[in-house]
Amino acid sequence: MDDKNLIGQRIKAAREKLKLSQEELGDLMGVSFQSVQQWESGKTTPRTTRMRKLATVLKTSPNWIQFGMGQSTSENLDDILKFIRSDEFKNQVCSAHAKSLQVLLSMGWIGLKRNDVTMSIMNDIFFAKLLEEYGLDPEEPSVLTQETLQK
């Protein structure tokens, strides 16, 4: 069996476990139910940019959908997403990011040509991109739920 069929089977299994129809999954993803049908039949696979959101909607990970690695579902996904959005996590991640940038600057590996670009601005951009990697909207302050996915 080829990879597209295996990916399709995993998408279907996760969708059915959540008791979602193909149409409901399509609505949550912003695609037609025909797209979901094509993914599940193995005719096509979701683009990489959609894979993260698909994994979030299906309460699983992109690695499980693509490769069958890891757990098929995450029962504590809401807790994980709440932690990712927390000030504690943001402060820890941004502190590590700032320290790594300072090392790179001091070594001369990177440089800043603009005086108005601060470490704070770079950290905000970095954290927004990190949230996007998790399939979260950087502008949305609340924990990701099925309702926010429908927006």
mmCIF file of all heavy atoms in Angstrom, residues 69-99:
data_model
loop_
_atom_site.group_PDB
_atom_site.id
_atom_site.type_symbol
_atom_site.label_atom_id
_atom_site.label_comp_id
_atom_site.label_asym_id
_atom_site.label_seq_id
_atom_site.Cartn_x
_atom_site.Cartn_y
_atom_site.Cartn_z
ATOM 1 N N MET A 69 3.635 7.692 13.124
ATOM 2 C CA MET A 69 4.504 7.715 14.301
ATOM 3 C C MET A 69 3.856 8.532 15.404
ATOM 4 O O MET A 69 3.270 9.570 15.150
ATOM 5 C CB MET A 69 5.865 8.314 13.939
ATOM 6 C CG MET A 69 6.624 7.490 12.923
ATOM 7 S SD MET A 69 8.089 8.302 12.239
ATOM 8 C CE MET A 69 8.853 9.005 13.651
ATOM 9 N N GLY A 70 3.972 8.058 16.640
ATOM 10 C CA GLY A 70 3.397 8.767 17.771
ATOM 11 C C GLY A 70 1.985 8.283 18.035
ATOM 12 O O GLY A 70 1.522 7.298 17.464
ATOM 13 N N GLN A 71 1.302 9.011 18.907
ATOM 14 C CA GLN A 71 -0.054 8.631 19.275
ATOM 15 C C GLN A 71 -1.044 9.123 18.226
ATOM 16 O O GLN A 71 -0.860 10.175 17.628
ATOM 17 C CB GLN A 71 -0.421 9.216 20.632
ATOM 18 C CG GLN A 71 0.390 8.637 21.763
ATOM 19 C CD GLN A 71 -0.042 9.218 23.100
ATOM 20 O OE1 GLN A 71 -0.781 10.174 23.156
ATOM 21 N NE2 GLN A 71 0.436 8.608 24.167
ATOM 22 N N SER A 72 -2.087 8.345 18.025
ATOM 23 C CA SER A 72 -3.089 8.737 17.035
ATOM 24 C C SER A 72 -3.927 9.903 17.506
ATOM 25 O O SER A 72 -4.433 10.675 16.709
ATOM 26 C CB SER A 72 -3.991 7.556 16.690
ATOM 27 O OG SER A 72 -4.719 7.149 17.828
ATOM 28 N N THR A 73 -4.094 10.048 18.814
ATOM 29 C CA THR A 73 -4.841 11.191 19.333
ATOM 30 C C THR A 73 -4.144 11.718 20.571
ATOM 31 O O THR A 73 -3.380 11.016 21.216
ATOM 32 C CB THR A 73 -6.287 10.822 19.712
ATOM 33 O OG1 THR A 73 -6.239 9.822 20.724
ATOM 34 C CG2 THR A 73 -7.078 10.360 18.522
ATOM 35 N N SER A 74 -4.442 12.937 20.878
ATOM 36 C CA SER A 74 -3.892 13.563 22.073
ATOM 37 C C SER A 74 -5.054 13.963 22.965
ATOM 38 O O SER A 74 -5.759 14.917 22.671
ATOM 39 C CB SER A 74 -3.064 14.785 21.698
ATOM 40 O OG SER A 74 -2.610 15.436 22.855
ATOM 41 N N GLU A 75 -5.252 13.210 24.024
ATOM 42 C CA GLU A 75 -6.376 13.477 24.917
ATOM 43 C C GLU A 75 -6.200 14.806 25.655
ATOM 44 O O GLU A 75 -7.160 15.424 26.050
ATOM 45 C CB GLU A 75 -6.532 12.334 25.935
ATOM 46 C CG GLU A 75 -6.836 10.994 25.310
ATOM 47 C CD GLU A 75 -8.114 10.978 24.490
ATOM 48 O OE1 GLU A 75 -9.079 11.664 24.869
ATOM 49 O OE2 GLU A 75 -8.146 10.284 23.461
ATOM 50 N N ASN A 76 -4.942 15.227 25.831
ATOM 51 C CA ASN A 76 -4.712 16.457 26.583
ATOM 52 C C ASN A 76 -4.317 17.606 25.659
ATOM 53 O O ASN A 76 -3.592 18.509 26.062
ATOM 54 C CB ASN A 76 -3.649 16.230 27.649
ATOM 55 C CG ASN A 76 -2.320 15.811 27.061
ATOM 56 O OD1 ASN A 76 -2.215 15.504 25.886
ATOM 57 N ND2 ASN A 76 -1.286 15.803 27.881
ATOM 58 N N LEU A 77 -4.812 17.611 24.429
ATOM 59 C CA LEU A 77 -4.462 18.645 23.465
ATOM 60 C C LEU A 77 -4.819 20.037 23.969
ATOM 61 O O LEU A 77 -4.026 20.966 23.832
ATOM 62 C CB LEU A 77 -5.157 18.389 22.126
ATOM 63 C CG LEU A 77 -4.858 19.410 21.025
ATOM 64 C CD1 LEU A 77 -3.388 19.346 20.632
ATOM 65 C CD2 LEU A 77 -5.747 19.169 19.827
ATOM 66 N N ASP A 78 -5.974 20.197 24.583
ATOM 67 C CA ASP A 78 -6.361 21.514 25.079
ATOM 68 C C ASP A 78 -5.384 22.024 26.126
ATOM 69 O O ASP A 78 -5.048 23.211 26.145
ATOM 70 C CB ASP A 78 -7.788 21.491 25.641
ATOM 71 C CG ASP A 78 -8.831 21.312 24.548
ATOM 72 O OD1 ASP A 78 -8.549 21.678 23.388
ATOM 73 O OD2 ASP A 78 -9.922 20.807 24.853
ATOM 74 N N ASP A 79 -4.900 21.126 26.999
ATOM 75 C CA ASP A 79 -3.907 21.530 28.003
ATOM 76 C C ASP A 79 -2.599 21.950 27.337
ATOM 77 O O ASP A 79 -1.973 22.933 27.746
ATOM 78 C CB ASP A 79 -3.628 20.388 28.981
ATOM 79 C CG ASP A 79 -4.821 20.072 29.874
ATOM 80 O OD1 ASP A 79 -5.676 20.958 30.059
ATOM 81 O OD2 ASP A 79 -4.896 18.933 30.366
ATOM 82 N N ILE A 80 -2.194 21.213 26.314
ATOM 83 C CA ILE A 80 -0.963 21.541 25.601
ATOM 84 C C ILE A 80 -1.093 22.901 24.926
ATOM 85 O O ILE A 80 -0.207 23.756 25.029
ATOM 86 C CB ILE A 80 -0.624 20.440 24.568
ATOM 87 C CG1 ILE A 80 -0.259 19.138 25.273
ATOM 88 C CG2 ILE A 80 0.507 20.890 23.636
ATOM 89 C CD1 ILE A 80 -0.216 17.930 24.359
ATOM 90 N N LEU A 81 -2.210 23.113 24.236
ATOM 91 C CA LEU A 81 -2.413 24.385 23.546
ATOM 92 C C LEU A 81 -2.506 25.545 24.534
ATOM 93 O O LEU A 81 -2.006 26.637 24.266
ATOM 94 C CB LEU A 81 -3.660 24.313 22.664
ATOM 95 C CG LEU A 81 -3.569 23.321 21.502
ATOM 96 C CD1 LEU A 81 -4.902 23.255 20.774
ATOM 97 C CD2 LEU A 81 -2.449 23.680 20.551
ATOM 98 N N LYS A 82 -3.126 25.309 25.680
ATOM 99 C CA LYS A 82 -3.207 26.351 26.705
ATOM 100 C C LYS A 82 -1.800 26.704 27.185
ATOM 101 O O LYS A 82 -1.471 27.876 27.355
ATOM 102 C CB LYS A 82 -4.079 25.872 27.865
ATOM 103 C CG LYS A 82 -4.304 26.908 28.931
ATOM 104 C CD LYS A 82 -5.240 26.385 30.009
ATOM 105 C CE LYS A 82 -5.464 27.437 31.073
ATOM 106 N NZ LYS A 82 -6.341 26.938 32.137
ATOM 107 N N PHE A 83 -0.954 25.700 27.393
ATOM 108 C CA PHE A 83 0.414 25.956 27.843
ATOM 109 C C PHE A 83 1.210 26.714 26.776
ATOM 110 O O PHE A 83 1.935 27.655 27.095
ATOM 111 C CB PHE A 83 1.131 24.652 28.208
ATOM 112 C CG PHE A 83 2.566 24.877 28.595
ATOM 113 C CD1 PHE A 83 2.875 25.530 29.787
ATOM 114 C CD2 PHE A 83 3.597 24.467 27.773
ATOM 115 C CE1 PHE A 83 4.199 25.755 30.148
ATOM 116 C CE2 PHE A 83 4.923 24.694 28.120
ATOM 117 C CZ PHE A 83 5.221 25.335 29.319
ATOM 118 N N ILE A 84 1.051 26.334 25.516
ATOM 119 C CA ILE A 84 1.778 27.001 24.437
ATOM 120 C C ILE A 84 1.415 28.481 24.379
ATOM 121 O O ILE A 84 2.247 29.326 24.082
ATOM 122 C CB ILE A 84 1.501 26.308 23.090
ATOM 123 C CG1 ILE A 84 2.186 24.948 23.056
ATOM 124 C CG2 ILE A 84 1.963 27.159 21.907
ATOM 125 C CD1 ILE A 84 1.766 24.080 21.900
ATOM 126 N N ARG A 85 0.170 28.803 24.684
ATOM 127 C CA ARG A 85 -0.280 30.200 24.669
ATOM 128 C C ARG A 85 0.033 30.939 25.974
ATOM 129 O O ARG A 85 -0.167 32.142 26.065
ATOM 130 C CB ARG A 85 -1.777 30.267 24.423
ATOM 131 C CG ARG A 85 -2.139 29.949 22.994
ATOM 132 C CD ARG A 85 -3.390 30.725 22.652
ATOM 133 N NE ARG A 85 -3.736 30.583 21.260
ATOM 134 C CZ ARG A 85 -3.289 31.389 20.307
ATOM 135 N NH1 ARG A 85 -2.490 32.363 20.599
ATOM 136 N NH2 ARG A 85 -3.655 31.213 19.062
ATOM 137 N N SER A 86 0.544 30.246 26.976
ATOM 138 C CA SER A 86 0.769 30.866 28.287
ATOM 139 C C SER A 86 1.951 31.836 28.248
ATOM 140 O O SER A 86 2.884 31.706 27.446
ATOM 141 C CB SER A 86 1.021 29.799 29.356
ATOM 142 O OG SER A 86 2.306 29.219 29.180
ATOM 143 N N ASP A 87 1.905 32.810 29.168
ATOM 144 C CA ASP A 87 3.009 33.762 29.294
ATOM 145 C C ASP A 87 4.290 33.053 29.710
ATOM 146 O O ASP A 87 5.385 33.429 29.278
ATOM 147 C CB ASP A 87 2.661 34.853 30.315
ATOM 148 C CG ASP A 87 1.627 35.830 29.784
ATOM 149 O OD1 ASP A 87 1.493 35.947 28.545
ATOM 150 O OD2 ASP A 87 0.960 36.478 30.604
ATOM 151 N N GLU A 88 4.169 32.024 30.557
ATOM 152 C CA GLU A 88 5.347 31.274 31.003
ATOM 153 C C GLU A 88 6.094 30.667 29.809
ATOM 154 O O GLU A 88 7.307 30.823 29.676
ATOM 155 C CB GLU A 88 4.918 30.162 31.967
ATOM 156 C CG GLU A 88 6.055 29.262 32.406
ATOM 157 C CD GLU A 88 5.577 28.069 33.222
ATOM 158 O OE1 GLU A 88 4.360 27.922 33.450
ATOM 159 O OE2 GLU A 88 6.439 27.268 33.613
ATOM 160 N N PHE A 89 5.360 29.990 28.935
ATOM 161 C CA PHE A 89 5.985 29.375 27.761
ATOM 162 C C PHE A 89 6.579 30.448 26.849
ATOM 163 O O PHE A 89 7.704 30.329 26.389
ATOM 164 C CB PHE A 89 4.959 28.523 27.006
ATOM 165 C CG PHE A 89 5.520 27.837 25.796
ATOM 166 C CD1 PHE A 89 6.360 26.745 25.917
ATOM 167 C CD2 PHE A 89 5.197 28.282 24.517
ATOM 168 C CE1 PHE A 89 6.870 26.102 24.795
ATOM 169 C CE2 PHE A 89 5.705 27.646 23.400
ATOM 170 C CZ PHE A 89 6.540 26.554 23.536
ATOM 171 N N LYS A 90 5.801 31.511 26.596
ATOM 172 C CA LYS A 90 6.294 32.586 25.729
ATOM 173 C C LYS A 90 7.577 33.180 26.293
ATOM 174 O O LYS A 90 8.544 33.393 25.560
ATOM 175 C CB LYS A 90 5.237 33.677 25.562
ATOM 176 C CG LYS A 90 5.693 34.794 24.650
ATOM 177 C CD LYS A 90 4.636 35.851 24.451
ATOM 178 C CE LYS A 90 5.142 36.920 23.484
ATOM 179 N NZ LYS A 90 4.155 37.966 23.251
ATOM 180 N N ASN A 91 7.611 33.448 27.596
ATOM 181 C CA ASN A 91 8.808 34.032 28.205
ATOM 182 C C ASN A 91 10.013 33.101 28.084
ATOM 183 O O ASN A 91 11.118 33.548 27.778
ATOM 184 C CB ASN A 91 8.550 34.383 29.672
ATOM 185 C CG ASN A 91 7.572 35.529 29.824
ATOM 186 O OD1 ASN A 91 7.390 36.341 28.914
ATOM 187 N ND2 ASN A 91 6.916 35.600 30.969
ATOM 188 N N GLN A 92 9.810 31.811 28.321
ATOM 189 C CA GLN A 92 10.917 30.852 28.222
ATOM 190 C C GLN A 92 11.442 30.748 26.797
ATOM 191 O O GLN A 92 12.647 30.797 26.562
ATOM 192 C CB GLN A 92 10.472 29.470 28.710
ATOM 193 C CG GLN A 92 10.238 29.394 30.194
ATOM 194 C CD GLN A 92 9.614 28.080 30.606
ATOM 195 O OE1 GLN A 92 9.079 27.337 29.800
ATOM 196 N NE2 GLN A 92 9.665 27.787 31.896
ATOM 197 N N VAL A 93 10.533 30.620 25.856
ATOM 198 C CA VAL A 93 10.934 30.466 24.458
ATOM 199 C C VAL A 93 11.603 31.742 23.943
ATOM 200 O O VAL A 93 12.640 31.689 23.292
ATOM 201 C CB VAL A 93 9.712 30.078 23.587
ATOM 202 C CG1 VAL A 93 10.020 30.196 22.116
ATOM 203 C CG2 VAL A 93 9.260 28.669 23.918
ATOM 204 N N CYS A 94 11.011 32.885 24.250
ATOM 205 C CA CYS A 94 11.576 34.151 23.769
ATOM 206 C C CYS A 94 12.914 34.452 24.430
ATOM 207 O O CYS A 94 13.804 35.023 23.798
ATOM 208 C CB CYS A 94 10.580 35.288 23.953
ATOM 209 S SG CYS A 94 9.189 35.164 22.806
ATOM 210 N N SER A 95 13.080 34.069 25.676
ATOM 211 C CA SER A 95 14.369 34.248 26.346
ATOM 212 C C SER A 95 15.449 33.406 25.660
ATOM 213 O O SER A 95 16.551 33.896 25.387
ATOM 214 C CB SER A 95 14.249 33.853 27.821
ATOM 215 O OG SER A 95 15.510 33.903 28.447
ATOM 216 N N ALA A 96 15.129 32.164 25.372
ATOM 217 C CA ALA A 96 16.094 31.299 24.667
ATOM 218 C C ALA A 96 16.391 31.847 23.272
ATOM 219 O O ALA A 96 17.541 31.842 22.818
ATOM 220 C CB ALA A 96 15.551 29.868 24.576
ATOM 221 N N HIS A 97 15.364 32.340 22.604
ATOM 222 C CA HIS A 97 15.534 32.912 21.268
ATOM 223 C C HIS A 97 16.436 34.145 21.328
ATOM 224 O O HIS A 97 17.364 34.293 20.534
ATOM 225 C CB HIS A 97 14.163 33.274 20.679
ATOM 226 C CG HIS A 97 14.224 33.879 19.330
ATOM 227 N ND1 HIS A 97 13.911 35.197 19.109
ATOM 228 C CD2 HIS A 97 14.583 33.369 18.133
ATOM 229 C CE1 HIS A 97 14.071 35.474 17.829
ATOM 230 N NE2 HIS A 97 14.465 34.377 17.217
ATOM 231 N N ALA A 98 16.187 35.032 22.292
ATOM 232 C CA ALA A 98 16.991 36.245 22.432
ATOM 233 C C ALA A 98 18.448 35.905 22.732
ATOM 234 O O ALA A 98 19.367 36.502 22.152
ATOM 235 C CB ALA A 98 16.412 37.135 23.544
ATOM 236 N N LYS A 99 18.660 34.941 23.608
ATOM 237 C CA LYS A 99 20.036 34.537 23.943
ATOM 238 C C LYS A 99 20.753 33.960 22.727
ATOM 239 O O LYS A 99 21.932 34.247 22.498
ATOM 240 C CB LYS A 99 20.030 33.530 25.092
ATOM 241 C CG LYS A 99 19.666 34.162 26.428
ATOM 242 C CD LYS A 99 19.542 33.115 27.520
ATOM 243 C CE LYS A 99 19.073 33.754 28.813
ATOM 244 N NZ LYS A 99 18.845 32.759 29.866
#
